[in-house]
Every structure is written in structure tokens, then in C-alpha cells.
Amino acid sequence: MEISVTVNGVTHTGDVEPRTLLVQYIREHVGLTGTNIGCDTSSCGACSVHLNGEAVKSCTVLAVQADGQQITTIEGLAADDGTLHPMQQAFMENHGLQCGYCTPGMVMAATSLLKENPNPSEHDVRIGLEGNLCRCTGYHNIVQSVLAAATK
Amino acid sequence: MTMTDQPRTVLGTRLLRKEDPALLTGEAKFTGDIAVPGALHLAVLRSPYANATINSVDVSAALAHPGVRAAYSGADLVDLWAAPMPCAWPVTDDMKSPTHYPIAVSKAAYAGDGVACVIAETAAIAKDAIELIRVDYTRHEAVIGLEDALSDRVVVHDEIGTNRSYTWDLKIEEHEGDIDAAFAAAAHTTKERFVHQRLIPSAMEPRSVLAMPQPFGGDMTVYSATQIPHILKIFVAVVLGIPEQQLRVIAPSVGGGFGSKLDVYAEEFLCTALARKHGVPVRWTEERSEASMATIQGRAQIQDIELAADEAGRLTAIRVRLLADMGAYLQLVTPGVPLLGAFLYAGVYELPKAYDFSCTGVFTSMTPTDAYRGAGRPEATYAIERSMDSLAAQMGIDPLELRRRNFIPTASYPYEAFSGLTYDSGDHDAAATMASEMIDYAGLRARQAEQNVEGATKRLGIGVSTYFEMCGLAPSRVLASLNYGAGGWEAATVRVLPTNKVQVVTGTSPHGQGHETSWSMIAAEKLGVDPSDVDVLHSDTALAPYGLDTYGSRSLPVGGVAIANACDGVIEKARQIAAHQLEASADDLEFSDGVFRVAGSPDKEMPLAAVAWEAFTAHNLPDGMEPNLEHHTHYDPPNFSWPFGTHMCAVEVDTETGEIEVLKYVAIDDCGVQVNPLIVEGQVHGGVIQGLAQVLYEGAVYDGDGNLRTSTLAEYLVPAAPDVPPITTGHTVTPSPTNQLGVKGVGEAGTIGAAPAVMNAIVDALSGLGVHDITMPASPHTVWNAIQQAQGGSQ
């Protein structure tokens, strides 16, 4: 099927197999590999991207469902001059990442969380990131990162 | 002069990580991210049965599938293997190890064992095609229970005729019979059994391999999501019979390991062998369900531990009997994991030479086990720390007080332990006191007395654990005495480039630990340059040909010290050049802040930058000196390092539902001198949550047929943010006297300290109800049942 998807402001048009997942489309067709795959049950959230501004797990969306939609991936978050997005900056300043594999999904989920709730409590942040797993940080510094970003 | 004596400007600062921008923007490349046109994709057909004879494998339908390049049974591939897959730690001379090929030939020994494989144009085609392979199996009964396995009622591997792989003993007595005498004379004894369930390491990045034949001469480059590119290179050479000099192994960004990537795996050999056979790149990325079944699992031990103590509760003897589940095969260091714990069953306590440890490794019909964060040491610490609480309860004294009575006194360090190992430094009272104050131990005990009254349904519990980490793996001669197949040294090269930028080459291989940052800090401190002017080359055997990689909290106390030593070598060479140029005696030159100064003549100085340029031009070097400013060194540590600490945890248990709420967690860790406290805290946070998760959530569940019932993250409970508490960290600093940085390492400390602290808190909350122990993981159902049983009710 031919689909047309705008990823980080650039529109890509091409054929995909109907069974192609959005995450496969982003990684293999568009060639943006910052979005990671950590499981096959929509449990880990490593593949989180924004679909029309809202965080989704791109392994639970078919590429064809994104036809005509706007996608933002981790590569589209920093400013054109390379300045990190405040959430990326907050993760760096608060050591909110170690191996970095869950990080793109975690950052995308966190930015979406702050859009919905600009002044979250620690509890709100933990609940809001429930769908994103991290094995390195124990979440402590991820939560601190998101709380710090909320004050910027 | 050691660095611990000097004023420091870089070490000890919370420098933000160099690694982060690439990881935060998606620029970092993990193995699966590397685009290679024309690469074929491997898929492995895995046995659905835990114990089955392979009668025949028919790959013809897969071969006929469009887009498939080749399909193979195990028998088809046997000629590709120059040797079977390795176990590098034959712990005893008579240890039994079944032949283990990357694809099973005649028998599937666990559910998930590879029985056939396909390479195809896309991953999807390869996965479609393995479904077309027909395997005729004869099923046999699976062996799941460890004691059942030991009985040899059903034998996993006919070729070795028994499920007993080895029995390894460590018996230490000053005089024969001391142990029995100590137990006979003891005022108090305890006898406990603890079961460590199987854990699935669950690094967030699944394993991934990409083998790329190089254009000329048969060279091969292998990318792998591994912790051990150097060790992998050796074993790819051995198993495939490839000359080692033709191999290059690269671990690009690696998404966590926790021991699960401290291994050499079937798919690494398969991709390389098939890339070589077909002359094309071959790649494979694991699915999560494969990660659960075909990547190693951890823990899986049954411990029987007995303590003997005198009237005051001071330990007089310890006896440990261990059954360790090897799984179906011995992976890289599977049999050695319990040995790493064998020296820690006395914790941080004084023990006379009265110690009797025996471990038997048994084969079962389950996924092979191997090192998982802590590897033997969390298990040992759990056993002694849970037992100390039992002893305290029996004596009717406070568990913290019992520990204080047994602590190795600070003045005794360096302390020669019962085992003959020397503990480098420690101050257990200080760590315990800091933890008590930070969690308000006295206040919690007072609140507990008020809260846990008859009929109370929300019960407060306070858990204490004190620990040694025993890391810095390891002195090569000690490893030799344990039959380990390699050394424990680490390599480093430091070069000051002509423009005064610095390259550090390390044999460590980070996967989240921030080595680029920390190693830059060490070189910057030593050489007086800015950390941003240092680049760290690692995880590529062409750039860093020597190394023993990253595991066992070894990277800083071995690899980091090697870098400091290499910097010293650079400084000494530079000193000779500067002396020559300044027409001064080298002995009169002082080096600080990156400048050589002649003592007593402050105007005569030469910065390292100028020396580096002189070393490069070689116009005016001392007679006989070689050009350039570089030093290469290998460091074999004289001892393990001994980080220690005290963790405390407060929980509230709802006796009506069995639910546990962690109210507060305090971790005091002493890892010696800290290079970067930001990174240290991160290591502790993550480690604590992994230890806590063993107690509260995680456990691989197998049914009686050997099917893994928890093969996805929907079934295996890796905790998410709402499931875990914030962690309060603190630290004391007791430098290690055995290395110039005074460092000890910190990667596993959190995990080692956490599990007993959490379980002790839960049992403490329920002790008034007669609960003595709870099986891990302590799910609400399990806790509720334990309460009902203790109360004499039905389940």
C-alpha cells in the first residue's frame, strides 16, 4: 500500500506491506533508528513517538494507520541548531539515562506527559511513565529529570 | 605518592556525561541500527519442548520459500564448528559439561534450544520461513526441580549420564573438627533454607549481531550487543577456526547487560559462520521472547545455611550447602557463579577459621543460567543477612545491634579473613550509623512498637542489610586457583597527541556505565587537561586490541587504575623530555596542572602541550628516546576490591491483602574514592531496584513440562516507575589502599545490598504474626498465604 507520512516535518511517500508496524516503517523505510524496539508485547515503551503530538507506542500502530499523519521521533526533538529540547537537557543534567536504550521512548513519553500535565507531582510522573520500562536507572533520576523539565 | 593524597580538581565532581547527547538525540548506534545493504537476516527455529530427541529435520519447504538463501539443521552445520561452544570456568577437574553446538544436533535440551535456522533477505521472510521447517521430535520428561535433578531420576544429557555437573568444596578449619566443635559448643544456632528464583536479566536492548565479511583476505568484522568484545573475539576464533588476527569485534552502543551480555552465544557464532560461508553480511536481532528463553537467566540457587554463635551472638562457624541450577548447558562462566559467592557467606563479620561450604551444580531442562548482576554475591549476602535476622530474633536482640557485635573492627584493616582473602579497607560502623540516622532507625522502631499492636492490619517493618561487594575482578593468580580460564588484568594506552589532545584506549567495554566520562576524568586529573579534550576509545578490538571487558564491577578498580598508571608512564616520559629541554635534572621537575616546573626556579617551566609537540617533531629529544608521547600498560590487580555499605528499608505490609508498600529506602555505599558521584548514585539506584525487584516482583516461571510461562514483558514483571520507591543515597569514603586512585567499584553494590534489606523489612513487619520467612517473589498472594499459614489458617 502507498502511504504518505510526515516524520519530523519531512513527508515520505512510498509502498509498505500492510503488516508493517509504524516502528518498522520509521526505522527501516525512513531510516531513523533512534526509535528502539525492546519487546514484542507493547510493554516496554522504547518505541514511543508522537503521533499528531501525542505519545504512542509505535509498535502498536500500523504504518498504514499513520498515512497522512504527523509523526515526531527523538531525532525531531532538538532544535535545528542542535540545542537540546528542555526534556533532553533535563535528562542529561539529572543523569536520567545510563545505557540509553529506553531513553528516546522515555523522553517522548515524558514530553507528552508534561503537555497533558505541566505541573506534575512525583507520583504523577511515576504513573505517567508507567508504560515505559528502564532497567538501568531504577527510575529515580528519570523522575527527577521530568520534574526538573517541568520547572523550565 | 597516590592520588588519594593530592588535591583534586576533576575527580569527585559531578561532570555531566559525554555519552548523553548522542543517546538523547537518537544519533547513537546500537547494533541493530547499523544499516548494511544486502545483509541477510538469520532466524532460529527453537524447540518447543524442554527435553526431546531430534529424529529428523526437514528444511525443504523453508528453502523453497521466496527470499530464503539457505536453511540448515544442526547436523548440516556441524562441519562449520572447529570446537563446541565454550565454558571458560571448569571449576573442578572432573566437572561434566555436555557438548554444546550453536544449533542442537540430536537433542533439544530446553525449550528455546535452537534446532534449525534460516537466512533470508528480510527478517520477516526469515521468520516466516522457520515456521515451514518440519522437525520430528520424540519427547521426554523434563527435569525442573533441582533436588529432582540431583536424584538422576531423569537425566538431561545421556552423554554424561548424570545431572551432577560438579561439586566444589571450600572447607576451612584451623584444626580438624573445628566446625563440628563450634556447632556443638554454640550458644545459638540457626538453620535456614533460602530459594533464589530464576531471574530473567531483561536488558532493554535485546541481543543483536551483525557479521560482515571484509572485502579482502578473509577478514571478518563482527558487531555484537555484548559486554565482552575481546573475549568474544577469542571464542569466535576458537569455535569457527578463524585465525584470530583476521577477526575484529565491535560492541557499538550497547543497551544494558547486567551479566546477560557477559557471554558468548549461539547466534554470534551462527551469524559469523554463515557470513563466512555465503560471503555476505548476516545479521540477527533477538525478539523479547527469545531473550527470555535463549539469553541466560540468573540466580536459581537453593541455599541451606547454618550459623553457630556464642552467647553474645558473635559468629563462631558457618556451614553452607548449595544447589545451583546450571540449566541445560554450561555457558561461559555458569559453574563459577556460586564460587563468586562462596567467600561472602560471612558478610562483613568476623568469623574464625570454621567455615564449610559445598556447592553442587546440576543440569535441568531449562534455559542455561550464568552471571546476573552480582553473580553469586547477592545470593550469599541474602543468605547471611537473612540468617543474621533469624539469629537476632532468636536471641531477642535488635538486628542492627547483632550486626554491630560482629562487624570487623575498622582498626583490623587490612583484614585477613577466614578464607585467606584480605579485605582491603572498611568502616562498617560508620556506614551503619549513617544509614540509621538517615532513615531514623530509632524513630521507626518506636513507631513500629506503637503500630504493630495486636490486630493491626498495617504493619511496619524495618530491614537492615550490611554487605561486601568483593569486586575488581580480579587478581589473575587468584583466578588461576579457582580454575578460571583467563586472567583478570586490564589494559590501557594513553597518548598525548601533537596538539595536546588526549586519547585513552581502554579494554573495558561499557554499556551504560559512562566510561567515556569517567575515564576522561581520570586522564584529565592526571595530565592537567580538560576532560573535553580527552577521547576514550573502547569496545573495538582493532582500536583497543587488549582487554578483558566489563563485568564484576571491575572496570574502574582494574581498567580505571590501568589508565591512571598509563598516565603516569606518559608523565614520566614527558618529564625526561622537559628536563632535557629545560636543561634541568628530571628529579627536580614537578608536574602539576599540566605544567612541568623546575623546583626552586619558578620561571623555568614547560607545559605538557609543548612537550607533546616536541615528542612529535622529535627534533630535540634525549639521546635514544623514541618519538611521541604514548604509554601502554597492563594492570593486574593485587587484590579484589571490597566496597561495602549498609542498606535500610522501611515497609508497610497490609495483612489483609498481602500488599507491600516501601515507605523509605536508604542506601549507604562506600565504594572508596568516587570518580563521579553522579554516576555512582545512578549505579546504586539501578542496582537497588534490581535487588528489590527480585524480592517483590520477578521470577521466571516454568511449568512441569519445562515451558517458560513468563517469556514476555507482559508476563515477567520488570517493575515500572510506579512500582518502585525513590532511593535516598549516602556514602562514606574509605579509600582502597591497593590502588593509586583509592577506588573500589560500584556496579553491583545496590543489587547485593537491596534484596536482604527489603525481605528483612517484610519479615520484620510480620514477625509478630509468626511469619519467619517468605518465598521470593513476595507477591501479595504469597505474603497473604504466609500470614495465613503462620496463623494456623488454611490457604
Side-chain angles (χ1 to χ4, degrees):
Chain A
M1 292 180 66
E2 186 177 279
I3 60 170
S4 186
V5 184
T6 303
V7 182
N8 302 333
V10 178
T11 302
H12 300 261
T13 303
D15 276 324
V16 296
E17 269 193 79
R19 65 176 174 176
T20 306
L21 302 173
L22 179 57
V23 66
Q24 293 169 328
Y25 176 77
I26 292 167
R27 289 177 57 84
E28 295 163 20
H29 293 249
V30 183
L32 295 174
T33 56
T35 304
N36 291 324
I37 300 172
C39 71
D40 33 31
T41 48
S42 299
S43 304
C44 78
C47 64
S48 300
V49 299
H50 292 177
L51 173 64
N52 299 329
E54 200 175 318
V56 297
K57 294 181 177 179
S58 60
C59 69
T60 57
V61 179
L62 292 167
V64 294
Q65 290 175 288
D67 186 24
Q69 314 295 313
Q70 302 274 339
I71 302 292
T72 306
T73 71
I74 192 70
E75 289 92 342
L77 214 54
D80 288 342
D81 68 357
T83 305
L84 295 179
H85 181 280
M87 186 64 75
Q88 293 169 316
Q89 187 67 29
F91 268 68
M92 180 155 172
E93 289 172 0
N94 292 277
H95 191 25
L97 66 154
Q98 291 182 27
C99 82
Y101 196 78
C102 76
T103 306
M106 199 66 82
V107 168
M108 298 311 283
T111 52
S112 187
L113 167 67
L114 285 195
K115 201 169 155 191
E116 287 172 33
N117 180 359
N119 294 299
S121 65
E122 186 199 319
H123 180 71
D124 294 338
V125 173
R126 286 183 181 270
I127 296 293
L129 296 178
E130 189 170 27
N132 291 73
L133 297 180
C134 168
R135 196 57 156 167
C136 295
T137 65
Y139 303 102
H140 185 100
N141 283 345
I142 289 176
V143 174
Q144 295 306 311
S145 301
V146 179
L147 291 172
T151 65
K152 286 187 182 175
Chain B
M1 186 170 175
T2 66
M3 285 201 72
T4 51
D5 303 325
Q6 298 170 340
R8 289 178 266 117
T9 57
V10 183
L11 292 190
T13 62
R14 302 172 74 86
L15 187 71
L16 300 185
R17 296 201 322 167
K18 292 182 164 195
E19 292 86 347
D20 289 357
L23 292 167
L24 279 161
T25 55
E27 283 176 26
K29 292 292 182 203
F30 296 88
T31 299
D33 296 341
I34 298 166
V36 180
L40 297 179
H41 295 256
L42 172 79
V44 177
L45 179 65
R46 301 189 182 279
S47 170
Y49 306 124
N51 188 358
T53 303
I54 300 167
N55 300 317
S56 65
V57 179
D58 178 1
V59 299
S60 56
L63 265 177
H65 191 65
V68 170
R69 175 70 64 91
Y72 299 104
S73 69
D76 295 335
L77 295 174
V78 162
D79 290 345
L80 292 183
W81 317 126
M85 302 227 303
C87 171
W89 201 340
V91 293
T92 61
D93 292 339
D94 62 351
M95 183 188 83
K96 295 185 174 59
S97 181
T99 308
H100 186 195
Y101 285 118
I103 295 286
V105 177
S106 57
K107 163 160 187 156
Y110 66 98
D113 207 355
V115 295
C117 67
V118 160
I119 47 173
E121 288 169 9
T122 69
I125 292 171
K127 284 169 193 168
D128 288 343
I130 57 170
E131 300 295 328
L132 302 173
I133 296 173
R134 292 286 163 256
V135 182
D136 181 49
Y137 295 100
T138 301
R139 291 180 64 183
H140 310 292
E141 191 177 348
V143 186
I144 303 306
L146 268 60
E147 288 170 313
D148 187 28
L150 198 58
S151 76
D152 283 338
R153 188 179 60 81
V154 176
V155 173
V156 177
H157 296 284
D158 291 336
E159 64 173 285
I160 54 179
T162 174
N163 293 326
R164 184 189 296 257
S165 175
Y166 70 89
T167 295
W168 186 88
D169 299 322
L170 180 65
K171 190 168 188 177
I172 293 161
E173 294 180 304
E174 193 86 57
H175 305 286
E176 196 178 327
D178 278 359
I179 295 161
D180 292 339
F183 274 95
H188 306 280
T189 60
T190 66
K191 184 174 169 63
E192 305 285 347
R193 166 167 283 206
F194 300 113
V195 178
H196 289 261
Q197 74 273 37
R198 278 177 168 258
L199 299 180
I200 300 178
S202 307
M204 291 316 300
E205 182 206 17
R207 288 188 295 121
S208 186
V209 187
L210 166 61
M212 294 178 64
Q214 298 303 297
F216 306 105
D219 286 5
M220 179 73 75
T221 298
V222 181
Y223 292 85
S224 184
T226 181
Q227 298 173 223
I228 52 167
H230 297 89
I231 295 171
L232 177 60
K233 176 166 74 84
I234 294 168
F235 284 115
V236 170
V238 169
V239 173
L240 270 62
I242 299 178
E244 189 186 343
Q245 76 277 14
Q246 292 193 293
L247 281 169
R248 176 183 184 185
V249 177
I250 301 171
S253 287
V254 175
F258 317 110
S260 71
K261 294 171 183 169
L262 159 54
D263 228 307
V264 292
Y265 283 104
E267 297 81 4
E268 292 169 321
F269 300 118
L270 284 169
C271 285
T272 311
L274 296 175
R276 198 170 170 225
K277 183 179 172 74
H278 292 271
V280 289
V282 174
R283 71 189 312 160
W284 170 83
T285 297
E286 184 177 60
E287 295 187 331
R288 180 56 62 183
S289 56
E290 289 185 288
S292 303
M293 291 190 297
T295 293
I296 62 96
Q297 299 180 1
R299 309 287 186 260
Q301 295 182 0
I302 299 175
Q303 305 165 310
D304 290 302
I305 176 171
E306 296 172 77
L307 305 185
D310 67 14
E311 197 64 44
R314 283 188 294 263
L315 297 175
T316 56
I318 296 177
R319 186 181 287 132
V320 179
R321 292 291 175 270
L322 207 63
L323 260 185
D325 180 356
M326 306 286 96
Y329 297 103
L330 302 183
Q331 281 278 348
L332 190 64
V333 298
T334 304
V337 169
L339 275 61
L340 289 172
F343 301 93
L344 283 182
Y345 279 85
V348 296
Y349 311 121
E350 287 193 289
L351 180 74
K353 288 189 188 302
Y355 180 69
D356 179 10
F357 174 95
S358 180
C359 170
T360 297
V362 295
F363 292 109
T364 59
S365 307
M366 294 181 281
T367 296
T369 62
D370 208 327
Y372 171 59
R373 201 170 193 169
R377 291 154 290 161
E379 296 95 313
T381 304
Y382 187 86
I384 180 64
E385 290 303 294
R386 290 284 299 115
S387 295
M388 290 297 275
D389 265 31
S390 296
L391 179 58
Q394 186 181 314
M395 294 174 63
I397 67 170
D398 182 275
L400 182 56
E401 168 58 24
L402 177 68
R403 285 169 171 81
R404 287 191 192 276
R405 290 181 191 178
N406 280 279
F407 282 159
I408 296 164
T410 305
S412 305
Y413 285 98
Y415 176 82
E416 188 180 332
F418 68 95
S419 58
L421 294 176
T422 300
Y423 303 160
D424 55 359
S425 61
D427 188 346
H428 308 291
D429 258 316
T433 299
M434 182 180 278
S436 307
E437 287 169 359
M438 284 175 70
I439 205 167
D440 186 17
Y441 188 78
L444 281 170
R445 285 288 177 211
R447 188 177 136 195
Q448 182 183 40
E450 287 175 19
Q451 185 173 334
N452 292 7
V453 293
E454 178 81 26
T457 58
K458 301 260 184 163
R459 290 185 167 257
L460 181 65
I462 304 130
V464 177
S465 94
T466 57
Y467 71 89
F468 264 135
E469 188 179 345
M470 184 185 166
C471 60
L473 304 180
S476 296
R477 288 182 177 185
V478 176
L479 291 177
S481 72
L482 296 172
N483 265 15
Y484 182 67
W489 48 263
E490 197 45 80
T493 303
V494 172
R495 47 181 84 104
V496 185
L497 303 176
T499 55
N500 202 34
K501 305 297 183 188
V502 177
Q503 278 183 335
V504 170
V505 183
T506 178
T508 66
S509 192
H511 36 283
Q513 297 89 342
H515 292 178
E516 292 177 19
T517 304
S518 296
W519 297 180
S520 294
M521 293 171 75
I522 292 170
E525 183 74 51
K526 277 283 187 180
L527 300 174
V529 300
D530 192 275
S532 65
D533 286 334
V534 183
D535 195 25
V536 178
L537 307 178
H538 61 83
S539 308
D540 178 341
T541 62
L543 296 175
Y546 295 100
L548 285 169
D549 307 312
T550 287
Y551 43 85
S553 307
R554 69 185 303 274
S555 296
L556 176 60
V558 191
V561 173
I563 291 163
N565 291 348
C567 288
D568 287 341
V570 163
I571 291 165
E572 282 319 301
K573 180 167 185 179
R575 187 188 305 278
Q576 301 299 325
I577 297 172
H580 177 74
Q581 300 250 336
L582 293 170
E583 297 180 340
S585 162
D587 294 341
D588 292 338
L589 289 189
E590 290 166 352
F591 181 68
S592 64
D593 301 327
V595 179
F596 288 99
R597 294 181 179 85
V598 180
S601 306
D603 53 323
K604 290 182 77 174
E605 62 174 42
M606 187 169 183
L608 187 65
V611 178
W613 185 257
E614 290 293 335
F616 165 67
T617 65
H619 291 174
N620 184 19
L621 297 179
D623 288 344
M625 179 174 279
E626 293 180 0
N628 288 315
L629 203 45
E630 174 184 273
H631 189 84
H632 178 63
T633 190
H634 295 83
Y635 172 66
D636 199 343
N639 190 359
F640 294 94
S641 58
W642 301 86
F644 63 92
T646 300
H647 288 203
M648 292 191 184
C649 175
V651 302
E652 195 166 73
V653 183
D654 185 326
T655 59
E656 293 180 312
T657 64
E659 283 177 297
I660 295 161
E661 184 186 359
V662 179
L663 303 176
K664 186 151 195 190
Y665 195 100
V666 170
I668 306 301
D669 293 279
D670 189 325
C671 57
V673 172
Q674 298 190 3
V675 171
N676 186 330
L678 191 70
I679 288 175
V680 170
E681 287 162 14
Q683 288 292 314
V684 172
H685 292 151
V688 164
I689 296 306
Q690 275 181 310
L692 175 144
Q694 177 182 4
V695 175
L696 295 182
Y697 302 119
E698 295 183 25
V701 177
Y702 282 85
D703 69 16
D705 293 329
N707 298 305
L708 178 61
R709 307 305 297 267
T710 52
S711 65
T712 73
L713 290 173
E715 294 131 354
Y716 185 86
L717 210 172
V718 170
D723 305 322
V724 299
I727 310 292
T728 305
T729 53
H731 62 267
T732 55
V733 176
T734 309
S736 173
T738 63
N739 66 71
Q740 66 156 304
L741 295 176
V743 297
K744 294 190 170 189
V746 73
E748 296 153 304
T751 306
I752 292 168
V758 177
M759 184 56 90
N760 280 342
I762 297 167
V763 173
D764 183 59
L766 300 175
S767 61
L769 300 177
V771 173
H772 180 76
D773 191 27
I774 292 174
T775 312
M776 295 188 287
S779 66
H781 180 75
T782 300
V783 172
W784 189 85
N785 267 340
I787 296 167
Q788 300 309 306
Q789 275 192 328
Q791 295 286 289
S794 59
Q795 288 187 26

